C-alpha cells in the first residue's frame, strides 16, 4: 500500500510504487504490465491535478495481482466532484489537451468504477490478464 499527500509527493511516487509491486510478479506479460501501469498512472495524474483545490490531497493506493487479473484501488480526500462514470470516447479534436483521461483509462482496463464513500473518493480498476500456461476455457471447442 502507498499513502501520499500532494504536494510534495507526485505521480512519480505512484509510478515507482506500481512498478515495484508489478515486479513482484514476473509471470505477468509485458503488455498487461504496460497497460495497467499506464491506466493507473493516468488515474493518479487526474486525481493529483484536478482534485487539489489548494490544500493538497491525500491518496492511498493498493494493488493486487491475482490469478487472472490485476486490481487497484485509489482512495483520495478530495471533495465530492459529482463524478459520474459513463462510457467515454476520445475527443474528436486530435489536438485537444483535456477530456482524454477517463476515456483512455476505460479503453485500457476491463473495469473502472468510482463511488463516494463517506468523505473519500474511491476509484477501482481491474485489468484481466493473459498469464502463461492458462487456457481460456471459453475458447476451447
Amino acid at each position: 500500500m502507498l499513502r501520499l499527500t500532494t504536494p510534495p509527493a507526485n505521480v512519480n511516487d505512484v509510478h515507482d510504487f506500481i512498478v515495484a509491486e508489478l515486479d513482484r510478479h514476473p509471470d505477468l506479460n509485458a503488455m498487461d504490465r504496460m497497460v495497467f501501469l499506464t491506466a493507473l498512472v493516468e488515474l493518479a495524474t487526474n486525481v493529483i491535478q484536478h482534485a487539489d483545490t489548494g490544500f493538497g490531497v491525500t491518496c492511498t493506493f493498493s494493488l493486487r495481482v491475482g490469478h487472472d487479473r490485476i486490481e487497484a484501488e485509489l482512495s483520495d480526500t478530495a471533495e465530492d466532484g459529482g463524478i459520474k462514470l459513463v462510457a467515454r470516447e476520445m475527443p474528436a479534436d486530435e489536438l485537444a489537451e483535456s477530456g482524454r483521461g477517463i476515456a483512455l483509462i476505460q479503453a485500457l482496463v476491463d473495469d473502472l468504477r468510482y463511488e463516494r464513500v463517506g468523505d473519500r473518493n474511491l476509484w477501482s480498476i481491474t485489468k484481466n490478464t493473459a498469464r502463461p500456461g492458462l487456457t481460456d476455457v471459453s475458447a476451447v471447442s
Side-chain angles (χ1 to χ4, degrees), residues 106-119:
Q106 287 175 325
L108 292 174
V109 300
D110 295 292
D111 189 44
L112 169 65
R113 295 176 189 257
Y114 166 82
E115 64 180 313
R116 182 76 179 178
V117 178
D119 62 349

Side-chain angles (χ1 to χ4, degrees), residues 21-66:
E21 289 298 306
L22 294 178
D23 282 350
R24 295 175 48 215
H25 302 275
D27 57 326
L28 286 173
N29 77 37
M31 182 61 78
D32 288 337
R33 287 172 174 276
M34 180 190 65
V35 166
F36 193 80
L37 175 65
T38 302
L40 190 50
V41 166
E42 180 63 31
L43 179 59
T45 300
N46 281 351
V47 168
I48 290 169
Q49 286 182 347
H50 300 296
D52 184 358
T53 57
F55 300 102
V57 175
T58 298
C59 301
T60 303
F61 296 85
S62 63
L63 191 146
R64 292 172 302 284
V65 178

Side-chain angles (χ1 to χ4, degrees), residues 2 4 10-23 37 41 63:
L2 171 68
L4 58 84
N10 62 43
V11 75
N12 292 331
D13 299 312
V14 176
H15 180 274
D16 294 345
F17 166 73
I18 299 165
V19 168
E21 289 298 306
L22 294 178
D23 282 350
L37 175 65
V41 166
L63 191 146

Side-chain angles (χ1 to χ4, degrees), residues 3 47 51 56-60 74-81 114-123:
R3 182 178 171 92
V47 168
V57 175
T58 298
C59 301
T60 303
L74 184 165
S75 172
D76 69 69
T77 59
E79 294 179 14
D80 181 356
Y114 166 82
E115 64 180 313
R116 182 76 179 178
V117 178
D119 62 349
R120 300 185 70 83
N121 297 303
L122 179 61
W123 299 86

Side-chain angles (χ1 to χ4, degrees), residues 62-136:
S62 63
L63 191 146
R64 292 172 302 284
V65 178
H67 180 67
D68 59 351
R69 69 180 52 102
I70 311 169
E71 301 171 308
E73 287 187 351
L74 184 165
S75 172
D76 69 69
T77 59
E79 294 179 14
D80 181 356
I83 298 165
K84 298 202 180 3
L85 288 180
V86 295
R88 306 223 176 162
E89 293 183 13
M90 290 291 196
D93 181 356
E94 293 178 8
L95 299 177
E97 294 185 18
S98 65
R100 296 182 184 278
I102 296 297
L104 175 63
I105 296 165
Q106 287 175 325
L108 292 174
V109 300
D110 295 292
D111 189 44
L112 169 65
R113 295 176 189 257
Y114 166 82
E115 64 180 313
R116 182 76 179 178
V117 178
D119 62 349
R120 300 185 70 83
N121 297 303
L122 179 61
W123 299 86
S124 62
I125 64 174
T126 301
K127 169 76 177 108
N128 296 332
T129 60
R131 303 296 278 271
L134 295 180
T135 303
D136 180 359

